[in-house]
Amino acid sequence: MGAAGGIDLARARERFLKGEPAEAGVRSLILNSWQRSLLLGLSPDQIELPYRQDFDPDVRLVRAAVPVLDRLQLRFAGSRMNIGLADAEGVVLARRFGERSLARNLPAFQVIPGFVFAEQVAGTNGIGIALAERRLCQVHGAEHFAERSQANACSAIPIRDPLSGRIEGVLSFGCPRSDASPVMDTLISKGARAIEHRLLEQSTARERTLLQAYLDAKRDAGNGEPVIDGEPIAVDQLARSGLDWRDQMILKEKAAELISAAQRVAVEVTLSDGRRLTLLSHVVTGPSGVQGVAVEAVLHHEAPLLAVAGSLGVSREAPPRHATPPAVPPPRHLHGVPTGLPTGLSAAASTLLGPGQPESTGPGDRAGDRRLVLVGEPGVGKYAVAARHRLELLSEASTRIGTTLDVSRTALELAEMAVPGLADHVAIDLPEAVLRGEEAADPRIDMNRVVMHGIGDDLPFYPVGQRIDPRPATPQFQCLTLEQAVLVPDLRVASGWLAQDPEHTERLISLGVHSLIAVPLLARGVVLGIASFYRSRTPAPFGDDDRSLAQELATRAAICIDNARRYTREHTMVLALQRSLLPSRLPEQSAVEVAHRYQPAEYEVGGDWFDVIPLSGTRVALVVGDVVGHGLHAAVTMGRLRTAARNFAELDLAPDEVLTHLDNLVGRLARDERNEESAAEATGIIGATCLYAVYDPTSQQATMARAGHLPPALVLPDGTVTFPDLPAGPPLGLGGLPFESAEVHLPEGSQVVLYTDGLVEDRDRDLDTSFDLLRSTLAHQDRTPDDTCRAILETVAPEHPGDDIALLVARTLALDPDRIAHWELPADPARVSDIRAAVTRRLGDWGLDEVSFTAELVLSELVTNAVRYGSGPIQVRLIHDRSLICEVADTSSTAPHLRHAATYDEGGRGLFLVAQLTQAWGTRYTADGKVIWAECALETPGVLPEPAMMDWEDLPAL
């Protein structure tokens, strides 16, 4: 029985094999391997392992590892340690034992090289899981899948080629479970690094052989150069000939490409100073049969090397320009040969040589001087080109990923960046919560396909919008659990991926999909989703360098996606606030038919607003405004201004007076912000524009005033479109400047179009063009206000609005003159009874006998007050609308006040009764005085006793 961290591993394994949930303490790395082993159909009772008789015990890996294995054997002398070396397919190539006699007591598969320990055939074990996870792994006792290994503990680590980054094999330690020690991981890591260093030495030795073969060939041809201890004289003569660092880097990069191509060719390059240079590549064979490529540079003087170019074929390329010089290390020496390139390109053969001849300057000099630029093997050159390609891809990704603050668009940019430079197909899956701007509680559930991008669309990957539910054994689930990239070089043996949807995955395999990298999109500790990179048309499978590149691309994209997610969250919150501050539904009124639209900016919410405010006398106020700036600050300021505008409108002020009050309010808000303790905490500038219009359906007159806002558009019933030249008041917040109103006659059926500047301001067109487009769109008198709104947004609004748009369209109505009654009388108390009688008759004509008593009482009080406290002639008006509106106008500017009379007071109850009998009352001022008005509801006749029980003498005010 084995236990780890308080968990009985043997019991947990037994539960797992029975199909029951394993205990939570089992490492995810082991649990995933168990699941893959079951999906592969392996049995824990399996004894036999595959054996490869054709393995080569003298491959390059073994030659590099033998001295290291021998040292490790000495280190573990006398112990029960089993040291193994396997290739990249899990085939054991060599064995060493701490106690030599140990081999006589072990089963054959633990002693004899040639047995295969890959996970797909041996289940969970050190070598197999190290190849599957591609990192240092430990397996203890019951963590092994097979029964045969339950008593053992092992550690294994991949060995990589330092030049290509490819896994060449695995170094493993095995011992009885009781002998396991943490020092095993330290020693195995050092052993793997030592083997990798010897692999690099093998490569540099081959390169030195190629370099010497090239020098010998030149010397034999009569063009030899003096050599001292293998090092050519006149190092860096190419730089001394006038080539700056830019040109040198260009030549070295191009030379690496020629080496990777392994062809005899000539390429002409134009240098930064206008001179031309030809790079010649030659195939070189060393004494041991190693083949490579030498690249020479031929500097042109009077004429290019046309003879060579004509015989080999010349391509001309202009050198790329670099902004700043790269950090080039000083020349280093490795085994006597200097190098100026990083290790991994051609460490022993990147020297610049000179023929010992001075540079020609006269017209009779020869065509050019030859310099050796680079010697190397084609494979090494290929790795160098691939490394540079990866760096270029990462550099390009920094500019192409994250150009917007849209989550889906940023994910698509990652996919477009990776195809075809890294992968043939990219799938990106994100939880629904991330798309809403939130954090996913568990990113492994509620996953949706957001992006599917690749070379062609002929492969049946899950489409965009498909719900994705990765199973525990899949690479996608593992990458989320481990929070690191998971590489699957061969999908044909990826049991977990195949088991996700057997019919679907087998079809992808049959169509050529062969390799996968699954990468978590991880930013700031938050897992945002999965990026899956597939190869199908590219024959080479993904390697570890590709995994590192995919991880780097995904990390950069994840930061951008997280920024977009956070922005989406904030944008959604601000937009919700903005919409909550706008009218949810417009009030009922009889002056205009109204339609409206609010369209937020593409990326930022602004402070645009509109409102429709019913006023006394059936009038209506139409308001539209725009707060300076964007974001939460603008939205909050908008809400404050809209509330203030409604309050000022309730006072029945003229449009210019409303704007004056709003201007004062904005000024106070701005001063309050400037007076905060810290100027750095100020949230922005407070300013706004506004257009305020009041329409009266009884006279069909509109009074308008604007504060720095664009003029409205007026559409007359005959289709004529005008933009009235209203007085242009200053924007709100400047203070001290007056506002002016203007009156416009609007026949019934006219349309008033109020809008904010986001509708007509577009970076792709000038303002006059926008107004012409708006004019032509509005020239249709038969449209409803809602149709007009829709047409304006479809034709005039920018495709990608940079500012939000508030749009209000009102079609004017006119009140039937027969529903208006008007009387004029002198300021004589005796005429009050005449008015009561006239009102009664008119209400009878209108069929409003049920409100006759209330209306008589209200008008009696209002007219009596006008006679007693007012001056000049008195005008009385009744309006039969949704309610019965009673108005009394006089030439006095003194407003009545509601009083609460004491029990024995003889007066002061008149307005109190008016307030009790009506649903609203108030005062508005005119140029000639004031109007006192009251609205009587038509549904409820009143709350006073029946008329038969009333005595007019009981009303003191009368």
Side-chain angles (χ1 to χ4, degrees):
M1 300 289 289
I7 299 300
D8 190 332
L9 291 173
R11 181 175 178 275
R13 176 176 170 274
E14 181 180 353
R15 287 170 54 85
F16 174 81
L17 294 175
K18 289 180 180 180
E20 301 176 7
E23 297 187 39
V26 180
R27 292 185 292 158
S28 59
L29 175 139
I30 299 299
L31 188 59
N32 291 334
S33 181
W34 286 355
Q35 292 168 340
R36 291 194 296 265
S37 300
L38 278 184
L39 291 171
L40 287 166
L42 301 178
S43 170
D45 300 326
Q46 179 182 351
I47 299 177
E48 299 296 331
L49 287 177
Y51 181 76
R52 294 277 296 272
Q53 296 181 348
D54 58 344
F55 79 95
D56 186 358
D58 192 36
V59 294
R60 173 170 171 257
L61 175 63
V62 174
R63 293 196 300 270
V66 164
V68 179
L69 296 178
D70 291 341
R71 290 199 299 271
L72 288 172
Q73 184 177 28
L74 291 175
R75 173 63 177 77
F76 289 111
S79 69
R80 293 185 289 178
M81 185 64 68
N82 186 343
I83 306 165
L85 177 72
D87 64 13
E89 297 180 356
V91 180
V92 176
L93 304 177
R95 290 280 190 185
R96 296 290 190 275
F97 302 95
E99 177 58 53
R100 296 181 185 273
S101 62
L102 183 64
R104 295 194 295 268
N105 302 320
L106 295 176
F109 68 86
Q110 291 185 348
V111 177
I112 303 174
F115 283 95
V116 182
F117 283 81
E119 187 185 59
Q120 55 264 32
V121 296
T124 306
N125 70 92
I127 294 175
I129 202 170
L131 287 174
E133 298 291 337
R134 311 179 78 81
R135 59 191 176 97
L136 172 63
C137 299
Q138 307 86 20
V139 184
H140 301 279
E143 289 182 331
H144 289 86
F145 183 78
E147 294 285 354
R148 61 177 177 268
S149 302
Q150 296 293 295
N152 298 330
C154 59
S155 295
I157 186 172
I159 299 171
R160 303 176 187 275
D161 187 316
L163 297 179
S164 66
R166 184 179 63 246
I167 291 180
E168 295 289 336
V170 176
L171 178 63
S172 67
F173 289 172
C175 65
R177 190 174 54 200
S178 59
D179 293 356
S181 170
V183 75
M184 291 171 56
D185 292 344
T186 303
L187 292 176
I188 201 171
S189 298
K190 291 182 177 179
R193 301 293 86 78
I195 296 174
E196 290 172 353
H197 181 71
R198 289 184 57 80
L199 287 173
L200 178 61
E201 288 181 345
Q202 288 182 0
S203 299
T204 56
R206 293 158 66 94
E207 291 175 348
R208 288 198 303 274
T209 302
L210 291 174
L211 177 60
Q212 192 59 51
Y214 167 80
L215 297 176
D216 292 343
K218 287 196 69 174
R219 185 166 49 248
D220 295 342
N223 298 323
E225 300 164 344
V227 177
I228 301 177
D229 295 332
E231 179 178 339
I233 299 177
V235 174
D236 287 338
Q237 285 297 315
L238 191 59
R240 297 178 186 176
S241 298
L243 296 183
D244 62 10
W245 61 268
R246 298 181 182 85
D247 295 330
Q248 295 179 52
M249 292 300 297
I250 293 168
L251 296 182
K252 292 175 182 178
E253 291 176 2
K254 191 60 185 177
E257 294 179 7
L258 294 178
I259 291 175
S260 67
Q263 295 180 352
R264 186 169 180 266
V265 70
V267 176
E268 186 173 286
V269 179
T270 302
L271 303 178
S272 57
D273 58 0
R275 289 188 297 168
R276 285 172 295 166
L277 178 148
T278 300
L279 291 180
L280 304 174
S281 62
H282 308 280
V283 177
V284 180
T285 303
S288 61
V290 178
Q291 285 195 342
V293 177
V295 179
E296 293 180 316
V298 181
L299 291 173
H300 297 191
H301 294 293
E302 290 294 324
L305 202 61
L306 296 178
V308 177
S311 62
L312 298 179
V314 177
S315 64
R316 302 188 178 185
E317 297 187 7
R321 311 305 305 162
H322 300 272
T324 57
V328 180
R332 296 171 292 169
H333 290 75
L334 182 61
H335 298 286
V337 181
T339 174
L341 290 179
T343 301
L345 175 60
S346 186
S350 58
T351 181
L352 301 176
L353 308 178
Q357 300 291 337
E359 183 176 345
S360 302
T361 56
D365 294 331
R366 44 184 198 153
D369 298 330
R370 294 194 178 193
R371 309 279 196 273
L372 176 64
V373 178
L374 204 62
V375 173
E377 293 183 79
V380 177
K382 180 176 65 177
Y383 300 143
V385 173
R388 189 169 70 250
H389 169 72
R390 289 192 291 270
L391 290 175
E392 292 172 350
L393 199 64
L394 288 175
S395 176
E396 188 178 359
S398 63
T399 60
R400 288 183 54 184
I401 298 177
T403 61
T404 68
L405 286 173
D406 180 80
V407 173
S408 299
R409 176 60 196 171
T410 304
L412 178 60
E413 289 171 347
L414 167 61
E416 292 174 340
M417 187 69 248
V419 176
L422 173 62
D424 298 324
H425 305 273
V426 175
I428 299 179
D429 307 321
L430 302 176
E432 187 67 30
V434 172
L435 296 176
R436 296 194 304 266
E438 304 168 4
E439 291 185 12
D442 186 350
R444 294 170 294 188
I445 61 176
D446 195 26
M447 193 84 69
N448 292 277
R449 178 63 46 89
V450 176
V451 171
M452 186 66 244
H453 178 71
I455 303 175
D457 54 0
D458 53 342
L459 293 181
F461 288 101
Y462 291 136
V464 172
Q466 175 82 33
R467 182 181 175 86
I468 306 297
D469 186 16
R471 295 186 178 182
T474 59
Q476 285 81 1
F477 190 93
Q478 293 178 48
C479 81
L480 289 177
T481 303
L482 301 174
E483 296 188 353
Q484 63 183 20
V486 174
L487 168 63
V488 184
D490 190 354
L491 288 174
R492 293 171 298 180
V493 297
S495 56
W497 182 78
L498 292 170
Q500 170 72 23
D501 184 351
E503 181 179 353
H504 175 73
T505 52
E506 287 174 4
R507 187 179 179 196
L508 288 176
I509 290 291
S510 66
L511 293 175
V513 178
H514 60 82
S515 191
L516 163 69
I517 301 175
V519 188
L521 297 172
L522 181 65
R524 303 180 180 97
V526 178
V527 178
L528 304 173
I530 307 169
S532 300
F533 302 84
Y534 293 91
R535 276 187 178 172
S536 59
R537 300 189 181 186
T538 304
F542 286 119
D544 284 281
D545 287 337
D546 298 316
R547 180 176 63 170
S548 299
L549 176 59
Q551 181 75 70
E552 181 67 23
L553 287 175
T555 299
R556 297 189 182 195
I559 295 296
C560 298
I561 290 176
D562 191 50
N563 290 339
R565 178 191 67 83
R566 291 166 178 257
Y567 168 78
T568 299
R569 181 185 61 193
E570 299 297 330
H571 181 77
T572 301
M573 292 173 56
V574 175
L575 184 58
L577 174 63
Q578 165 84 338
R579 292 191 182 279
S580 69
L581 295 175
L582 291 173
S584 56
R585 68 182 191 86
L586 298 181
E588 295 181 357
Q589 40 79 36
S590 303
V592 290
E593 295 178 8
V594 180
H596 59 87
R597 295 290 190 278
Y598 172 74
Q599 181 173 317
E602 189 169 26
Y603 298 115
E604 290 186 289
V605 175
D608 292 14
W609 93 90
F610 62 89
D611 210 344
V612 177
I613 309 171
L615 302 177
S616 64
T618 70
R619 297 171 306 132
V620 66
L622 307 174
V623 193
V624 67
D626 184 1
V627 174
V628 173
H630 296 86
L632 184 62
H633 178 260
V636 171
T637 303
M638 177 274 291
R640 300 168 77 175
L641 290 183
R642 176 174 173 256
T643 301
R646 292 189 69 89
N647 292 334
F648 295 142
E650 290 291 335
L651 298 176
D652 261 328
L653 301 176
D656 56 323
E657 295 180 14
V658 171
L659 294 183
T660 300
H661 284 288
L662 289 176
D663 181 52
N664 294 334
L665 172 63
V666 173
R668 286 196 300 272
L669 294 176
R671 287 192 296 272
D672 291 343
E673 285 216 352
R674 288 194 296 269
N675 291 335
E676 288 183 355
E677 294 182 3
S678 173
E681 297 177 358
T683 51
I685 300 174
I686 293 184
T689 65
C690 184
L691 173 62
Y692 190 93
V694 175
Y695 173 70
D696 188 347
T698 63
S699 62
Q700 301 178 32
Q701 290 290 117
T703 305
M704 304 180 182
R706 62 188 179 116
H709 204 84
L710 295 173
L714 304 181
V715 186
L716 299 181
D718 61 359
T720 303
V721 180
T722 62
F723 296 91
D725 187 16
L726 302 180
L732 300 177
L734 293 183
L737 298 176
F739 298 95
E740 298 181 32
S741 299
E743 289 194 356
V744 180
H745 179 69
L746 296 176
E748 183 179 10
S750 302
Q751 286 193 353
V752 183
V753 181
L754 284 69
Y755 51 90
T756 55
D757 55 4
L759 177 68
V760 294
E761 290 184 354
D762 188 351
R763 67 182 62 183
D764 297 327
R765 68 187 181 209
D766 57 38
L767 202 58
D768 291 338
T769 302
S770 297
F771 278 115
D772 291 340
L773 190 59
L774 178 60
R775 186 190 303 274
S776 61
T777 303
L778 293 175
H780 297 275
Q781 69 274 21
D782 55 342
R783 282 182 177 152
T784 65
D786 194 72
D787 292 337
T788 301
C789 284
R790 185 180 303 108
I792 290 174
L793 291 182
E794 289 176 353
T795 59
V796 183
E799 184 177 357
H800 302 286
D803 195 3
D804 48 350
I805 299 171
L807 177 62
L808 186 66
V809 177
R811 181 161 64 185
T812 61
L813 303 175
L815 195 63
D816 188 348
D818 292 338
R819 299 172 72 90
I820 304 174
H822 182 271
W823 299 275
E824 185 172 342
L825 65 156
D828 184 358
R831 300 295 301 272
V832 175
S833 59
D834 297 336
I835 287 296
R836 287 203 304 264
V839 167
T840 302
R841 288 192 300 271
R842 179 54 60 94
L843 292 179
D845 295 340
W846 287 344
L848 301 179
D849 295 322
E850 70 276 6
V851 296
S852 177
F853 171 74
T854 303
E856 288 183 44
L857 181 59
V858 169
L859 279 175
S860 294
E861 173 61 28
L862 297 182
V863 172
T864 300
N865 280 342
V867 171
R868 180 177 299 177
Y869 303 110
S871 62
I874 299 172
Q875 298 185 12
V876 178
R877 187 169 70 160
L878 284 182
I879 302 175
H880 180 196
D881 190 40
R882 296 174 182 270
S883 61
L884 180 64
I885 302 173
C886 307
E887 295 183 346
V888 176
D890 60 51
T891 58
S892 171
S893 60
T894 302
H897 297 282
L898 182 65
R899 294 173 53 194
H900 296 276
T903 304
Y904 299 103
D905 287 347
E906 295 186 2
R909 296 182 179 88
L911 286 181
F912 178 76
L913 290 175
V914 170
Q916 294 297 312
L917 290 171
T918 60
Q919 64 183 14
W921 75 278
T923 304
R924 68 173 180 269
Y925 294 93
T926 65
D928 300 324
K930 68 175 183 299
V931 175
I932 303 176
W933 56 268
E935 293 184 8
C936 300
L938 298 181
E939 295 79 10
T940 304
V943 295
L944 285 182
E946 293 294 331
M949 300 176 61
M950 288 293 300
D951 187 353
W952 290 108
E953 299 302 327
D954 293 335
L955 301 178
L958 301 180

